[in-house]
Amino acid sequence: MSASAAKVSKKELNSNHDGADETSEKEQQEAIEHIDEVQNEIDRLNEQASEEILKVEQKYNKLRQPFFQKRSELIAKIPNFWVTTFVNHPQVSALLGEEDEEALHYLSRVEVTEFEDIKSGYRIDFYFDENPYFENKVLSKEFHLNESGDPSSKSTEIKWKSGKDLTKRSSQTQNKAGRKRQHEEPESFFTWFADHGDAGADELGEVIKDDIWPNPLQYYLVPDMDDEEGEGEEDEEDEEGLEDIDEEGDEDGEDDDDDDGEDGEDDEGEDD
């Protein structure tokens, strides 16, 4: 092949390659447009599914109400049900000091109410018996969407009795496990009612609504960790005691063997 022919062939190849690139880019652009169309259909179905799921949630939320009511009536027969449930819950118990627990002993009922449009919010009501801490019979905190559509919250103002405001104490003395907890700022379970800083990410509210409220019995029945630890320590002490007895027995046995050996040597000496 001549040099000129080689040059022509190379130009043709480059021309074909450029044409292939243009075709490839065009196909990619068309594919992207089609993907966008398909994605729009997926998004439309997701929105439709959300609407259907909301209807199902609303339906079953209504069906659950009589059972929630019946459960509340049965719980009322169990003293200290709710304070025990909160103390046994790992996230809630971390917020409870000794005085908080004392105040929660007067908590007789808890109710969680989701609004009919479930996405728009919910309310948690805490019903208290007459107590030495505050005048309120019911403390509530509500989570909802404000006029601009942003998460917001509001709550009952606690009417503390003289000298009993737990939110103004300098520190929690100790928690249920007996470990001292010092805080740089006053902290109490009851400060939650006045905390409206981030209603869209209220961990305590979400824990009560989504974890405790559906099945509080599972936390009420959690074994007391202090009792379990105490039993474990007693078992260890019993095992150590048995080991000591066994060791003493072995030592006595060795002493007896030594005595028997000495007696045997004396006997042999007398026979000689």
Side-chain angles (χ1 to χ4, degrees), residues 27-43:
E27 288 177 349
Q28 289 179 23
Q29 185 60 37
E30 289 178 352
I32 289 172
E33 292 175 359
H34 286 129
I35 291 172
D36 188 50
E37 292 174 0
V38 172
Q39 189 61 51
N40 288 336
E41 289 299 316
I42 293 173
D43 293 341

Side-chain angles (χ1 to χ4, degrees), residues 91-140:
Q91 289 172 269
V92 178
S93 64
L95 303 175
L96 300 179
E98 195 173 70
E99 290 180 287
D100 287 330
E101 289 185 33
E102 289 297 323
L104 288 174
H105 273 83
Y106 297 92
L107 179 61
S108 59
R109 192 164 97 242
V110 174
E111 297 287 344
V112 175
T113 304
E114 294 189 81
F115 301 149
E116 188 164 350
D117 178 6
I118 296 173
K119 291 182 178 180
S120 65
Y122 61 96
R123 186 182 70 252
I124 306 176
D125 298 313
F126 301 81
Y127 294 82
F128 287 85
D129 294 331
E130 181 70 28
N131 65 81
Y133 295 94
F134 43 80
E135 302 289 348
N136 311 70
K137 299 299 183 184
V138 183
L139 297 179
S140 302

Side-chain angles (χ1 to χ4, degrees), residues 62-77:
K62 290 180 180 179
L63 292 175
R64 285 190 286 262
Q65 295 310 308
F67 295 97
F68 285 148
Q69 180 62 34
K70 180 64 176 177
R71 187 182 69 185
S72 292
E73 293 172 359
L74 294 170
I75 286 175
K77 299 179 180 180

Side-chain angles (χ1 to χ4, degrees), residues 226-242:
D226 288 345
D227 291 345
E228 287 190 349
E229 290 175 2
E231 291 174 0
E233 291 173 359
E234 290 177 3
D235 292 340
E236 290 177 2
E237 290 175 0
D238 291 342
E239 290 175 1
E240 291 175 359
L242 291 173

